[in-house]
Amino acid sequence: MGHIGWTPQAANAAGKVRVLGKSREQARSLLHDALAVQEAGGFAIVLELVPEQLAAAITDRLRIPTIGIGAGAGCSGQVQVLTDLLGLDVWHPRHAKPYADLRGAILEAARAYAGDVTAGTFPGPEQTVRMEDGVLDEVLGRGDADRSGDVVPEGIPLDRDL
């Protein structure tokens, strides 16, 4: 699968995250690169941050599918970064659409949890497992046999049970 336009691995050369292919030279270069990927045997190509008209024109000229990310609706398919789609970051790129506000939901849940722990209300009876008090008494040496005056072997109760 090829990848043209803005590519993370070319960030140093391209500088900041920005749309590539707005000028005549860049647009021709991207069209040439897309055709080269196809001719080299690529099964598909990602078009990232490419003007929508150019992305549609490239898609029309290729026999392989194009996957757009910030390249408009004229591509064969679309991809989004999951953290953008789920709304996990404060900032999201212009081409991304958060479909949820999981960042807000996660922060709200973490604050509620911390508040319950601080207040001593978590864990509560619903989240706690208890044992029979009589069993605990026997484990701690407070059982009927321990109170009867019988001689208890040396060691902690657990050692006696083993």
Side-chain angles (χ1 to χ4, degrees), residues 6-142:
W6 190 86
T7 58
Q9 61 269 33
N12 292 335
K16 66 179 185 170
V17 177
R18 62 187 172 91
V19 174
L20 298 176
K22 286 183 170 181
S23 71
R24 179 177 183 233
E25 296 77 27
Q26 281 184 348
R28 282 189 171 177
S29 178
L30 288 174
L31 177 58
H32 179 274
D33 289 348
L35 292 167
V37 166
Q38 176 179 268
E39 295 311 308
F43 65 88
I45 187 167
V46 173
L47 306 179
E48 184 165 352
L49 295 178
V50 173
E52 67 175 330
Q53 308 96 309
L54 178 60
I58 289 172
T59 300
D60 287 343
R61 286 165 174 74
L62 296 179
R63 296 181 312 276
I64 60 174
T66 60
I67 307 300
I69 179 166
C75 296
S76 308
Q78 298 293 322
V79 67
Q80 283 288 292
V81 174
L82 188 60
T83 54
D84 295 335
L85 182 129
L86 297 177
L88 289 175
D89 295 320
V90 174
W91 176 86
H92 65 274
R94 175 183 172 151
H95 63 274
K97 178 179 177 180
Y99 284 83
D101 178 20
L102 294 190
R103 180 178 191 280
I106 289 168
L107 288 172
E108 182 180 327
R111 287 184 190 115
Y113 166 73
D116 284 353
V117 170
T118 300
T121 59
F122 180 84
E126 306 85 26
Q127 298 85 30
T128 304
V129 176
R130 293 191 48 83
M131 63 190 302
E132 291 182 30
D133 290 335
V135 173
L136 179 61
D137 286 341
E138 289 177 22
V139 169
L140 298 177
R142 300 183 305 216

